[in-house]
Amino acid sequence: MTTALEVASAVRDPELPVLTLADLGVLRDVEEEDGRVVVTITPTYSGCPAIDEMGADLRRSLVGAGYPDVEVRLSLSPAWTTDWISEEGRSKLAAAGIAPPSRIGPTVAGPVPLNLVPPSRQVACPQCGSLNTSEISRFGSTACKALRRCHACAEPFEHVKEI
Amino acid sequence: MSFDNAYESLLGGEDAHWAFGTGFSEALSGVNREFPAGVDREALAAYCLMLGDDALIFSQRLSEWCSRAPELEEDIALANIALDLLGQARMLLTRAGEVLGRDEDALAYLRDEREFRNVHLAEIDCGPGPGGDFAATIARLLVFSSWRLALFSRLRGSADPVLAAIAEKGLKELAYHRDHAAQWTVRLGDGTDESHRRMQAGLERVWPFVDELFATHAVEVTLAGVAVDPASLRSEVDGVLEAVLNAAGLTRPTDTRAARVAGMAGRDGVHTEAMGFLLAEMQHLYRSLPGAVW
């Protein structure tokens, strides 16, 4: 029988189906106790409408794999960061035409610095690899993505923005 | 599942699979929500209502711009910001509701105007309707997100672990909101004569509601260590706003205080005329069809 961790790790993200919830870093913990499975997930954004769907998908997959007693817990802290997207997840995003986020490192205490111009991050075009790209909009089709444009191949593309 | 009829395929099986927004579970479902010892629960609930109502009401205002923004990308941006704030509101109202014995829907849809605790800045009408302007909405977003960001930055150290976690999560979102508003403020203020004039007018529109943000309420005094005293945020927020206005070539308005009613304001449940109209739109469906889900 597949372990509960293996089953949960294979569940895909409803909005970025190229990634599993484990790739995305949303799956925080899977515990098995006397046939009962406790899964802990963390939301990407406070208003992420997919969080219920993630829980339902996890429950459905685990029940289907022979774990009838499933509890899904939500953990808000530590807050999700795109740094938790795995290396494999980053490769999968790029292969799907979505630019993965840069690494941002640990957050520092104290006031958050103001950015009066968009940060000039080097985001490579997932189609042609050019670094000559610019931001169209910091807010995209889902809370976690920004819209960019490549000036080399003229293709627009999505970018999982750093948070 | 049949695909002959679009509605059948949407409604068949597990509805949540097809349309986000149906059958939501509670906002803090599965979060450890024990109350820390020694915290005044009634005051904690009142505080969560204050911060939750700010987010809920401003989210409603931002949502009004959906399909009305000057460009498509901005439609998406304002809707995304509204969604972040709605998420924050749901968690905060749920936390308050644990003490008050009401769920987030009851708190959002079944309270009357005098029971709402949001600041006036969140509720005033800055458009898209008559008399409003996109620049006024950007001015409000700049002030609101600068203030809430400074607040959440300190709230990370709250003695209530749930509030601290909500703040830690929301902080990252608010940083994006503030940067977005700041960049628009610079673009409009430092743009054409017309965009400069309208951005300045937008600032004049919202500035009378700025002082209320920094007025300490009795609930915040009661909750020392749990709540943040907003008066302590003033110099940081002023510094941020000054940096943005300087970069945009805009003048800081001098009128910072709107009239109160018998000394009371939003935190006391006394609201501006716009609030009743806002609530009528936000609540009418749920009140017309009690128990409605969508």
Side-chain angles (χ1 to χ4, degrees), chain A residues 16-30:
Chain A
L16 288 168
V18 297
L19 298 187
T20 63
L21 295 180
D23 291 332
L24 190 59
V26 155
L27 185 67
R28 300 310 293 162
D29 193 36
V30 180

Side-chain angles (χ1 to χ4, degrees), chain A residues 44 46 52-53 112 115 162, chain B residues 24-25 169 173 176 178-179:
Chain A
T44 53
S46 297
D52 281 335
E53 177 61 10
V112 181
N115 293 309
E162 295 77 14
Chain B
F24 271 123
S25 56
K169 182 122 216 72
E173 297 155 4
Y176 267 97
R178 188 187 65 179
D179 285 354

Side-chain angles (χ1 to χ4, degrees), chain B:
Chain B
M1 185 173 296
S2 163
F3 285 93
D4 292 340
N5 179 320
Y7 294 104
E8 268 178 37
S9 62
L10 278 173
L11 297 172
E14 297 200 34
D15 60 353
H17 199 83
W18 283 102
F20 295 146
T22 61
F24 271 123
S25 56
E26 202 186 34
L28 291 172
S29 174
V31 171
N32 180 356
R33 289 180 282 175
E34 284 172 29
F35 290 95
V39 169
D40 180 338
R41 292 188 190 193
E42 298 291 325
L44 179 64
Y47 188 58
C48 289
L49 275 189
M50 286 154 60
L51 300 186
D53 285 348
D54 289 343
L56 175 68
I57 299 302
F58 189 30
S59 175
Q60 175 74 14
R61 279 295 185 214
L62 286 168
S63 304
E64 292 170 356
W65 281 92
C66 197
S67 82
R68 311 281 292 276
E71 54 186 34
L72 181 61
E73 288 80 5
E74 200 48 35
D75 249 17
I76 298 169
L78 293 179
N80 262 301
I81 293 170
L83 182 62
D84 286 341
L85 290 173
L86 189 62
Q88 294 175 15
R90 290 187 61 206
M91 292 191 278
L92 287 161
L93 293 186
T94 298
R95 185 66 169 158
E98 288 175 316
V99 179
L100 302 171
R102 304 172 84 177
D103 68 12
E104 51 176 307
D105 281 346
L107 288 172
Y109 296 123
L110 298 178
R111 275 183 299 157
D112 290 333
E113 182 176 323
R114 289 297 300 265
E115 297 173 276
F116 278 83
R117 293 290 181 264
N118 55 284
V119 291
H120 289 171
L121 181 73
E123 76 199 33
I124 56 168
D125 187 358
C126 293
D133 194 14
F134 176 68
T137 277
I138 290 298
R140 165 159 60 183
L141 182 61
L142 176 69
V143 172
F144 183 87
S145 56
S146 299
W147 166 74
R148 194 168 172 94
L149 181 65
L151 199 166
F152 272 36
S153 169
R154 286 161 177 76
L155 201 58
R156 282 183 291 182
S158 172
D160 177 23
V162 175
L163 263 183
I166 292 170
E168 190 196 344
K169 182 122 216 72
L171 187 72
K172 294 156 173 262
E173 297 155 4
L174 292 162
Y176 267 97
H177 305 173
R178 188 187 65 179
D179 285 354
H180 186 70
Q183 288 163 23
W184 263 117
T185 303
V186 172
R187 201 173 303 147
L188 295 174
D190 196 24
T192 63
D193 287 347
E194 171 70 0
S195 73
H196 177 88
R197 181 188 67 74
R198 286 168 64 174
M199 193 63 232
Q200 185 67 44
L203 293 172
E204 305 286 347
R205 167 82 180 101
V206 303
W207 226 260
F209 302 95
V210 167
D211 269 5
E212 186 190 353
L213 304 177
F214 302 99
T216 309
H217 191 273
V219 164
E220 289 151 343
V221 176
T222 307
L223 285 174
V226 174
V228 173
D229 178 359
S232 69
L233 309 173
R234 184 105 213 199
S235 63
E236 181 186 333
V237 176
D238 275 349
V240 168
L241 295 176
E242 193 181 323
V244 177
L245 297 194
N246 284 345
L250 294 159
T251 310
R252 185 189 185 91
T254 48
D255 182 7
T256 59
R257 185 172 298 180
R260 294 180 166 211
V261 178
M264 293 192 289
R267 295 288 191 236
D268 310 299
V270 176
H271 294 281
T272 65
E273 188 184 353
M275 185 69 171
F277 293 97
L278 182 151
L279 290 180
E281 182 162 357
M282 188 176 90
Q283 297 183 330
H284 88 268
L285 194 144
Y286 194 85
R287 289 190 182 227
S288 305
L289 301 164
V293 291
W294 51 85

